[in-house]
Amino acid sequence: MRDPVIPGTSMAYHPFLPHRAPDFAMSAVLGHQPPFFPALTLPPNGAAALSLPGALAKPIMDQLVGAAETGIPFSSLGPQAHLRPLKTMEPEEEVEDDPKVHLEAKELWDQFHKRGTEMVITKSGRRMFPPFKVRCSGLDKKAKYILLMDIIAADDCRYKFHNSRWMVAGKADPEMPKRMYIHPDSPATGEQWMSKVVTFHKLKLTNNISDKHGFTLAFPSDHATWQGNYSFGTQTILNSMHKYQPRFHIVRANDILKLPYSTFRTYLFPETEFIAVTAYQNDKITQLKIDNNPFAKGFRDTGNGRREKRKQLTLQSMRVYEDRHKKDTGTSDESSSEQAAFSCFAQSSSPAVSTVGTSNLKDLCPSEGESDAEAESKEEHGPEACDAAKISTTTSEEPGRDKGSPAGKAHLFAAAEPGGRARDGGRLDKASPDSRHSPATISSSTRGLGAEERRSPGREGPAAKAEEARALPAKEAAFAPLTVQTDAAAAAAHLGQGPLPGLGFAPGLAGQQFFNGHPLFLHPGQFAMGGAFSSMAAGMGPLLATVSGASTGVSGLDSTAMASAAAAQGLSGASAATLPFHLQQHVLASQGLAMSPFGSLFPYPYTYMAAAAAASSAAASSSVHRHPFLNLNTMRPRLRYSPYSIPVPVPDGSGLLATALPPMAAGPLDAKAAAAAAALAASPASVAVDSGSELNSRSSTLSSSSVSLSPKLGPEKEAATSELQSIQRLVSGLEAKPDRSRSASP
DNA sequence: TCTCTCACTTC
DNA sequence: TGAAGTGAGAG
């Protein structure tokens, strides 16, 4: 208590608001009724987490803890604890930031996305490939930011890989516990973030629901980005055969504990969408990964890995087979189809040609029917392809607003859209086909009455799924799934099909206003996030924060949010029906997934918070600024999170991309292919090798192809195919040991 | 479909 | 050197 209490500083901060303690040294003044919390009731089982410097700390803490334990009203405490900041919150220089995020390795992502990216999930966790990397700009150099990413369900469907394409196979399984990954360098200054590529390669995907890593935070039910409990950790739990969409978040805050009350800027890159699998389904994806992931080098056709040996063996076998077949049939015509298939393989796996090769494969393989070649052709030529070509991953370049373009590039996920449209932290509501390819989706959350909160014309919902399912057959193979749907349609779908219609939180969610009054749970001893939690050193331990109606503390951080939250609460019930399905669902999911150490989502009745909010927001419904405690300007300019600081959509960069990505085959892949072809031409030896390896490496594909071909080829072909397969198996069997002798022999 | 082991790679 | 990340393939 070295610093004197500044008289007249009426900015009291609720001691239980975790984000206060780290920020401000507080003095406790006994005997004063805190006017700010007229009817505040402390949570019955919450442990007070308050860092109070000075001699008064303990007595105050004792009181607070006692109150918390017994659940008695704050106001009934004997000597009242009046907490004040020791220093006035001088409006720090808050430089307006305008974060822009650029997805790194976009081309790579595009290649994968075009084919319907799959990400393997394992019990122990598997990294994402391509790795999710972004480059940030437009941050306030001095301000601290926490960067996170999470992965949300892209829709409500379960998929299956059938006939070389992903198809909807029913409704999604129950959502897995939500996880988010905080970049280990968080928090760091904007300058630091901007100086490097921010990579999330350490994030792992798992299907192991029993994974205990991480700790849990509870977010307000009306938080625009996340609602309910989220656990933080390095592993994200996903459902196999479900589609997911990674999201990147920038939060201007210097402590993890502030997350639930901070403004989020969310960036979404459609090209990073993927389907989680326990085993690769699509050979093209497998090959792409092998060709691009350093750790999979051993499976490439070139180099000294086993693939090398294998391809050689296969090549030999192939020659034998071909010779025999020619002799048997006396003509190459019949076998042409298979020959073609083989040649496809040979080309497809050329290390250098990777993507191109796979592309060619489809085109060259009639056996796959319309499936690949056709599908891909459609993909690349279709509107989506065009959009993709125009996509720019830099938000600043986001054409997002460009409604005129085929693809509404920018996805601005708004918390509160005019239409009451909101984005939940869960299922990704797909927007129209156009928006689907937007380079980056930005969403600001936690803002007050969603000034800037807007979202792209909804991403599809369940209904869209159905549509998608319908459209699939005719659509492109791999990733066709993404269907488009109008907002209205989507909304209708949501309302009608939402698994959790009528959820009570609808109002708040619908508006996506930020209600600061929710509890925050922390798992004691589970802090593994390092720096981000530095402020917790004070021994916050198990922490339970409550929010007062005025919750000035919180509002101090983001008063507009507060007001909106209150307003949202006030609206409760009125608009449950208006809550988009995905939001409702999300909320439900949140509640269903009690990750709190306390065993429940909320340790105390939700009404507790609601009441507080209501009290504080009497008229706040629409005017944040009118409320004395909510008024940002009045309260704390310093903490103002510019509600208008939404990432600015950028001009449509389609032109650039169009150039970079010529329609269809002219894309990067083709360029690559051309290069590869050139390389091959220059090196006959490598060609031979590649061919063989290709065939071998794609044995599985071959098998499937053969099967599908059988009907068309007739008995002879079938027999031939079987023979080929036998050879393949033989080769595989020999591969392990005999390769030397094998390779040595002519 | 999923899980596990294996050989191979990177770092 | 060894831990950790790969896909293949068997079960």
Side-chain angles (χ1 to χ4, degrees), chain A residues 21-70:
Chain A
D23 257 6
F24 316 109
M26 300 176 126
S27 68
V29 179
L30 299 180
H32 294 277
Q33 169 74 28
F36 320 99
F37 313 114
L40 178 62
T41 297
L42 296 173
N45 63 343
L50 175 62
S51 176
L52 289 175
L56 290 179
K58 189 173 186 310
I60 293 301
M61 279 296 285
D62 289 343
Q63 291 181 50
L64 295 178
V65 171
E69 290 174 342
T70 57

Side-chain angles (χ1 to χ4, degrees), chain A residues 500-511:
Chain A
L500 308 171
L503 205 82
F505 298 101
L509 291 174

Side-chain angles (χ1 to χ4, degrees), chain A residues 117-139:
Chain A
T117 314
E118 298 169 19
M119 294 286 177
V120 169
I121 57 179
T122 66
K123 200 170 181 180
S124 58
R126 203 76 144 184
R127 289 184 178 182
M128 286 176 68
F129 189 86
F132 191 89
K133 298 178 182 177
V134 296
R135 186 177 287 282
C136 302
S137 60
L139 302 175

Side-chain angles (χ1 to χ4, degrees), chain A residues 50 96 111 171 274 296 369 405 448 453 498 515 539 548 554 656 745:
Chain A
L50 175 62
E96 282 299 324
Q111 290 179 27
K171 197 153 184 66
F274 66 86
S405 86
E453 318 273 336
F515 175 47
S548 74
V554 175
L656 295 174
S745 69

Side-chain angles (χ1 to χ4, degrees), chain A residues 171-503:
Chain A
K171 197 153 184 66
D173 294 338
E175 240 183 316
M176 292 296 202
K178 292 167 295 189
R179 281 276 177 88
M180 58 182 119
Y181 176 76
I182 300 177
H183 192 287
D185 292 346
S186 299
T189 63
E191 185 169 24
Q192 292 174 308
W193 288 124
M194 291 187 290
S195 68
K196 61 187 177 186
V197 170
V198 181
T199 175
F200 290 88
H201 66 281
K202 287 186 179 176
L203 170 66
K204 290 186 175 181
L205 311 181
T206 183
N207 57 350
N208 184 11
I209 196 171
S210 63
D211 177 70
K212 304 293 184 197
H213 299 98
F215 62 94
T216 303
L217 276 183
F219 283 74
S221 62
D222 44 8
H223 189 283
T225 303
W226 292 321
Q227 299 88 33
N229 291 336
Y230 272 83
S231 59
F232 293 76
T234 56
Q235 305 225 12
T236 289
I237 307 171
L238 306 176
N239 269 322
S240 182
M241 311 306 274
H242 286 64
K243 190 185 292 180
Y244 291 94
Q245 171 67 63
R247 295 190 302 178
F248 171 64
H249 311 276
I250 295 178
V251 181
R252 185 168 177 163
N254 57 15
D255 194 283
I256 296 296
L257 298 179
K258 294 178 181 176
L259 283 178
Y261 314 99
S262 300
T263 297
F264 282 64
R265 289 189 174 88
T266 300
Y267 302 82
L268 185 157
F269 303 93
E271 55 269 61
T272 59
E273 190 178 58
F274 66 86
I275 288 179
V277 298
T278 53
Y280 283 119
Q281 309 289 312
N282 188 343
D283 290 341
K284 293 168 195 162
I285 294 302
T286 306
Q287 197 56 48
L288 260 184
K289 298 231 177 187
I290 289 173
D291 292 338
N292 292 282
N293 190 334
F295 285 107
K297 243 181 182 174
F299 300 102
R300 294 183 188 173
D301 294 329
T302 59
N304 300 319
R306 57 183 171 192
R307 296 271 289 215
E308 176 72 12
K309 299 171 184 173
R310 207 197 253 178
K311 69 186 170 188
Q312 290 178 9
L313 289 174
T314 303
L315 183 61
Q316 292 177 358
S317 299
M318 278 304 302
R319 285 172 181 161
V320 173
Y321 164 77
E322 289 176 19
D323 291 344
R324 278 187 60 182
H325 192 63
K326 284 182 179 178
K327 291 176 182 176
D328 293 343
T329 61
T331 170
S332 59
D333 216 10
E334 282 191 359
S335 60
S336 63
S337 61
E338 288 192 357
Q339 282 295 82
F342 291 139
S343 64
C344 287
F345 292 128
Q347 292 178 36
S348 72
S349 285
S350 171
V353 209
S354 64
T355 63
V356 178
T358 55
S359 223
N360 292 340
L361 177 61
K362 310 173 232 169
D363 297 337
L364 296 175
C365 293
S367 64
E368 290 198 22
E370 61 116 348
S371 64
D372 282 340
E374 202 168 304
E376 189 142 317
S377 175
K378 290 177 183 176
E379 271 183 352
E380 298 180 17
H381 288 298
E384 289 188 351
C386 293
D387 291 349
K390 298 176 184 175
I391 290 174
S392 160
T393 53
T394 301
T395 60
S396 62
E397 299 171 4
E398 208 169 309
R401 317 243 161 139
D402 178 355
K403 310 248 173 182
S405 86
K409 320 275 162 158
H411 281 212
L412 290 181
F413 279 26
E417 217 172 28
R421 196 152 179 106
R423 172 182 202 330
D424 75 340
R427 300 235 186 283
L428 179 60
D429 197 17
K430 304 260 180 198
S432 67
D434 322 317
S435 60
R436 174 184 175 231
H437 274 295
S438 72
T441 301
I442 308 168
S443 97
S444 291
S445 59
T446 316
R447 296 291 174 70
L449 299 178
E452 76 294 2
E453 318 273 336
R454 43 188 113 86
R455 68 171 267 131
S456 67
R459 298 192 62 143
E460 92 210 314
K465 262 85 219 191
E467 184 175 333
E468 176 179 313
R470 267 177 272 131
L472 256 178
K475 246 186 156 182
E476 80 279 279
F479 232 32
L482 304 184
T483 308
V484 190
Q485 179 176 340
T486 63
D487 267 7
H494 289 160
L495 293 176
Q497 299 181 20
L500 308 171
L503 205 82

Side-chain angles (χ1 to χ4, degrees), chain A residues 220-227 414-417 420-425 445-450 453 502-516 518 560-580 583-584 586-587 606 610 613 621:
Chain A
S221 62
D222 44 8
H223 189 283
T225 303
W226 292 321
Q227 299 88 33
E417 217 172 28
R421 196 152 179 106
R423 172 182 202 330
D424 75 340
S445 59
T446 316
R447 296 291 174 70
L449 299 178
E453 318 273 336
L503 205 82
F505 298 101
L509 291 174
Q512 288 286 305
Q513 293 108 335
F514 180 27
F515 175 47
N516 300 299
H518 286 243
T560 58
M562 183 56 212
S564 63
Q569 296 300 326
L571 296 174
S572 87
S575 58
T578 66
L579 180 62
L583 287 182
Q584 294 180 13
H586 188 90
V587 172
Y606 178 78
S621 68

Side-chain angles (χ1 to χ4, degrees), chain A residues 2-7 9-13 23-27 83-91 636 638:
Chain A
R2 288 158 291 191
D3 300 336
V5 173
I6 298 175
T9 303
S10 59
M11 296 190 333
Y13 301 102
D23 257 6
F24 316 109
M26 300 176 126
S27 68
L83 304 178
R84 293 178 171 181
L86 287 175
K87 303 173 182 176
T88 12
M89 300 321 349
E90 293 169 18
R636 301 174 45 184
R638 173 233 171 203

